Amino acid sequence: MKYELDQAQELSAQIAQAIRDGIMEGSLIVDQRLPSESDLCEQFQVSRPTVREALKRLAAQNLIRTQRGASGGAFVNRLSFEDAYGQQITTSTLLLSMNAVSFETACEARFALERACVALAAQRRTPDQLAAMRAEIHRQSQPGLSDESFCASDVAFHRALVDAAGNPVMSYQLAGAVEAIEPLMNMITFTARKREKIVELHTLIADALEGRDAATTEAVLGQLAEHTLELAREVARMRSKSA
Amino acid sequence: MKYELDQAQELSAQIAQAIRDGIMEGSLIVDQRLPSESDLCEQFQVSRPTVREALKRLAAQNLIRTQRGASGGAFVNRLSFEDAYGQQITTSTLLLSMNAVSFETACEARFALERACVALAAQRRTPDQLAAMRAEIHRQSQPGLSDESFCASDVAFHRALVDAAGNPVMSYQLAGAVEAIEPLMNMITFTARKREKIVELHTLIADALEGRDAATTEAVLGQLAEHTLELAREVARMRSKSA
DNA sequence: AAAAATTAATTGTCAGACATTTGAAGAAAT
DNA sequence: ATTTCTTCAAATGTCTGACAATTAATTTTT
């Protein structure tokens, strides 16, 4: 591990960066134990609270985990896809809400990226994944479902579609795009007729995937994108009228 | 802001989560000042080091920034696309290196996602973006370029391609995929002949985008993906032979 | 030999202090 | 009256030292 600290930064940030560099560069490997807090104090010549703040920074990124007790300490964490999903979703959600990203932009990104999965999904979809998609379709067609539940099911459907591509890197990359849009989708009220149309398109997608028909899947996904955008525009029109 | 703390977690993590929830839910808005550390101590009934650890966790995620001095304190940060890029790249890089993601998987994800940008890029590419791509192509065709520099230029080329889609959400989502693969690409030694082929394909892509020809761009991108994978397989064969 | 108690190491938390930075108010000089 | 300088107060950054809680290893007891 290197111990070169930049000036003009907070000590805890410098120490965190030094350790982070060690992890990214590979000199600290997964499950390796970091020196104890008091050892780190000596090595970096700082007090324990400062070291601890540095470690908490790393813990916030899931880069390390800590264990109490005799053989405890801080260990380099294997960043799991699970952890990475979570971070992605948090970041994407905040990014969208804080930067006033328009529904159009977010929606465009989502469907464009999803389209990238279709060709692979048509080849590789498993029966399980198809079943998951059909289950969500069934949920969506139940009357009396709240808008929130409908959107949550929509997200689940699309997650299943993405997962069907069988590429964990893509699933991870798209998790953010798909989940982060949910709050925006929740602002759209889906009337019964609109829901019917969406369910119909979802069904067509599932059918096309079952038949391993990439071209049709892609076409229907395009229709769904168009339909979703149209709904959003309609809602926007109604709002501006009533205002 | 809510102050409900889950049990069975570290205090600093609970406090961080409570504040994070406030930010995500919208009760804490951008540039708003959090209570001072001593105020937070009172409100959460914990000591200052504990509060500080919580704040450092949030700072590590770029959710807050702190300022010293009279009118200082912790402020809710507007998460910029810039910040989000950085986090994405860190996370993606670690994810790939720690989980032994194969070159094939990473490469597949990258080209599939990139393909999603092409249709939009063909419509929207600006002269500046085209110029950036051509500049990278020029760099790539210079003899004597190190493999690292060649790969870095490759990344820059593809970033320009992604940015040409004119959708910041997509740029952000793909930043990780494109950048994180660079270390893997660096493991491939590009002979002069191989580089020539790549430069040729890059040129065809730039030409097709200039002519706003989405179909051709997509086709060439597919060839590039195939070619890259073939190179990787070749390298793998050579390694296994010499071993 | 097995179970229970002790011990040591380590992180989690607390309390209080001082250092450093920074904006603002007041005082002094022009 | 305006500008500049000084002082002050508030806030974060850091340090010291201590105690609590947890856990694995060790020792003691049965």
Side-chain angles (χ1 to χ4, degrees):
Chain A
M1 203 183 345
K2 289 182 196 165
Y3 301 126
E4 293 172 25
L5 303 185
D6 279 340
Q7 294 297 333
Q9 231 190 125
E10 288 163 25
L11 279 173
S12 66
Q14 293 174 45
I15 294 167
Q17 190 58 52
I19 297 174
R20 184 166 24 237
D21 286 347
I23 295 174
M24 292 192 68
E25 171 211 309
S27 58
L28 289 169
I29 60 176
V30 168
D31 290 335
Q32 185 173 336
R33 186 179 175 281
L34 297 184
S36 73
E37 294 182 354
S38 38
D39 286 347
L40 289 173
C41 292
E42 278 188 23
Q43 294 179 15
F44 288 106
Q45 287 292 302
V46 295
S47 70
R48 230 188 112 206
T50 304
V51 163
R52 282 182 60 78
E53 285 183 7
L55 294 179
K56 291 314 158 198
R57 296 179 112 104
L58 299 174
Q61 299 181 296
N62 285 310
L63 292 184
I64 61 169
R65 62 180 183 279
T66 55
Q67 248 179 340
R68 296 222 279 208
S71 67
F75 297 84
V76 179
N77 220 1
R78 157 162 282 121
L79 187 63
S80 68
F81 279 94
E82 207 74 14
D83 291 337
Y85 281 167
Q87 288 181 244
Q88 258 267 254
I89 292 167
T90 303
T91 304
S92 298
T93 304
L94 284 170
L95 202 52
L96 260 55
S97 70
M98 285 182 171
N99 291 276
V101 172
S102 71
F103 187 82
E104 275 82 7
T105 303
C107 206
E108 176 179 285
R110 173 194 161 171
F111 280 107
L113 295 173
E114 221 170 310
R115 187 167 156 262
C117 297
V118 164
L120 294 168
Q123 283 174 45
R124 301 183 187 160
R125 93 288 180 288
T126 65
D128 277 2
Q129 286 155 350
L130 271 179
M133 293 169 71
R134 300 233 186 255
E136 295 302 334
I137 292 174
H138 179 70
R139 254 189 85 201
Q140 290 159 20
S141 52
Q142 303 233 320
L145 205 63
S146 71
D147 276 336
E148 280 73 19
S149 301
F150 184 81
C151 287
S153 172
D154 186 67
V155 167
F157 175 86
H158 286 279
R159 287 281 311 249
L161 172 57
V162 168
D163 287 340
N167 186 313
V169 177
M170 288 181 67
S171 292
Y172 148 69
Q173 294 283 348
L174 268 68
V178 174
E179 300 264 350
I181 210 175
E182 198 185 345
L184 295 177
M185 293 283 276
N186 276 336
M187 289 166 45
I188 302 180
T189 305
F190 294 101
T191 62
R193 266 203 66 235
K194 304 297 183 186
R195 287 194 187 180
E196 228 171 76
K197 177 75 179 171
I198 290 176
V199 167
E200 184 195 324
L201 291 171
H202 282 178
T203 307
L204 286 175
I205 288 175
D207 291 347
L209 281 180
E210 186 156 16
R212 302 194 186 281
D213 181 348
T216 303
T217 313
E218 213 166 290
V220 179
L221 194 63
Q223 285 178 49
L224 183 56
E226 201 43 58
H227 183 69
T228 307
L229 276 172
E230 183 53 43
L231 280 180
R233 277 191 286 265
E234 223 167 89
V235 170
R237 267 199 303 278
M238 282 181 54
R239 293 236 170 100
S240 66
K241 240 184 225 175
S242 71
Chain B
M1 198 179 357
K2 289 182 196 165
Y3 301 126
E4 292 172 25
L5 303 185
D6 280 338
Q7 294 294 334
Q9 232 192 124
E10 289 163 24
L11 279 173
S12 65
Q14 292 174 45
I15 294 167
Q17 191 59 51
I19 297 175
R20 187 169 17 242
D21 286 347
I23 295 174
M24 293 192 67
E25 171 212 307
S27 58
L28 289 170
I29 62 175
V30 167
D31 290 336
Q32 185 173 337
R33 186 179 175 283
L34 297 184
S36 73
E37 294 182 354
S38 39
D39 286 348
L40 289 173
C41 293
E42 276 188 24
Q43 293 179 14
F44 288 106
Q45 287 293 304
V46 297
S47 70
R48 228 186 116 207
T50 304
V51 163
R52 282 183 61 77
E53 286 182 8
L55 294 179
K56 291 314 158 199
R57 295 179 113 106
L58 300 174
Q61 297 181 298
N62 286 312
L63 292 185
I64 61 169
R65 63 181 183 279
T66 54
Q67 246 180 341
R68 297 222 277 207
S71 65
F75 297 83
V76 179
N77 220 2
R78 157 162 281 124
L79 188 62
S80 67
F81 279 94
E82 206 73 13
D83 290 338
Y85 281 166
Q87 287 180 244
Q88 257 268 264
I89 292 169
T90 303
T91 305
S92 299
T93 304
L94 285 169
L95 200 54
L96 260 56
S97 71
M98 284 181 171
N99 291 278
V101 172
S102 72
F103 187 82
E104 275 81 8
T105 303
C107 208
E108 176 179 283
R110 172 193 161 171
F111 280 107
L113 295 174
E114 221 170 310
R115 188 169 153 259
C117 298
V118 164
L120 293 169
Q123 281 175 45
R124 301 182 188 162
R125 93 287 180 290
T126 65
D128 277 3
Q129 287 156 348
L130 270 178
M133 294 170 72
R134 299 236 185 250
E136 294 302 334
I137 292 175
H138 179 71
R139 253 189 87 198
Q140 290 160 19
S141 53
Q142 303 234 320
L145 206 62
S146 71
D147 275 337
E148 281 74 19
S149 301
F150 185 79
C151 288
S153 173
D154 186 67
V155 166
F157 175 86
H158 286 279
R159 287 281 311 249
L161 172 56
V162 168
D163 287 339
N167 186 313
V169 176
M170 288 180 68
S171 291
Y172 149 69
Q173 294 283 349
L174 267 70
V178 174
E179 299 264 348
I181 209 176
E182 196 185 346
L184 296 177
M185 292 282 277
N186 277 335
M187 290 165 46
I188 302 179
T189 305
F190 293 101
T191 63
R193 267 203 64 236
K194 304 296 182 189
R195 287 193 188 180
E196 229 171 76
K197 177 75 178 170
I198 291 176
V199 168
E200 185 194 324
L201 291 171
H202 282 178
T203 306
L204 287 176
I205 288 174
D207 291 346
L209 282 180
E210 186 157 14
R212 302 194 185 282
D213 181 349
T216 303
T217 312
E218 213 167 288
V220 178
L221 195 63
Q223 284 179 48
L224 184 55
E226 202 40 62
H227 183 68
T228 307
L229 276 172
E230 184 51 45
L231 279 180
R233 279 191 285 264
E234 222 168 88
V235 170
R237 268 199 302 277
M238 282 182 53
R239 293 237 170 98
S240 66
K241 237 183 223 174
S242 73

